[in-house]
Amino acid sequence: QVQLVESGGGLVQAGGSLRLSCAASGRTFSNNAMGWFRRAPGKEREFVAAINWNGGNTYYAESVKGRFTISRDNAKNTVYLQMNSLKPEDTAVYYCAARREYDSTVYVRDIEYDSWGQGTQVTVSS
């Protein structure tokens, strides 16, 4: 497994921006596909965005497409989620996840990931 630590969450007004970071340690970071998920109060965890090992392939949930951008810096062992035009419905705990994979595939189901961070709270006020 890989150890993941998220940061960058906080309180922001609607229309604002935040950038989440997820720092990885353990197995070679560049051998992992990465994903971001979120869990809002009273709801199931849901997929947000995914990226393959080298950043050449990304995929987004429809609800965030055009507003969020996932990226990674393999030299820094970090994956990012840039969140713009935030809405109150984006309020959730955000988790990053890793899966050992070294091809162009991205993964959207949480059961496909084997390592998870502890989460970071994002609150968007109206």
Side-chain angles (χ1 to χ4, degrees), residues 37 39 44-47 97 107-114 116:
F37 291 77
R39 176 175 283 157
E44 297 290 318
R45 184 166 58 189
E46 66 174 359
F47 168 77
Y107 299 89
V108 303
R109 298 187 301 166
D110 56 5
I111 62 172
E112 295 173 309
Y113 290 88
D114 59 27
W116 291 85

Side-chain angles (χ1 to χ4, degrees), residues 35-102:
W36 284 97
F37 291 77
R38 66 187 182 187
R39 176 175 283 157
K43 295 187 177 181
E44 297 290 318
R45 184 166 58 189
E46 66 174 359
F47 168 77
V48 176
I51 190 167
N52 78 313
W53 74 274
N54 67 352
N57 193 17
T58 59
Y59 189 78
Y60 298 91
E62 283 298 319
S63 59
V64 306
K65 196 175 293 184
R67 300 188 297 122
F68 291 10
T69 302
I70 188 170
S71 62
R72 65 190 295 161
D73 185 338
N74 285 347
K76 295 183 178 179
N77 293 346
T78 302
V79 63
Y80 304 97
L81 185 68
Q82 177 66 44
M83 305 186 296
N84 298 329
S85 302
L86 282 161
K87 304 175 181 180
E89 51 263 44
D90 294 318
T91 295
V93 178
Y94 283 71
Y95 301 89
C96 69
R99 172 192 169 100
R100 190 184 192 97
E101 200 64 63
Y102 195 66

Side-chain angles (χ1 to χ4, degrees), residues 24-42:
S25 61
R27 70 184 181 220
T28 304
F29 178 68
S30 60
N31 289 346
N32 291 272
M34 302 295 295
W36 284 97
F37 291 77
R38 66 187 182 187
R39 176 175 283 157

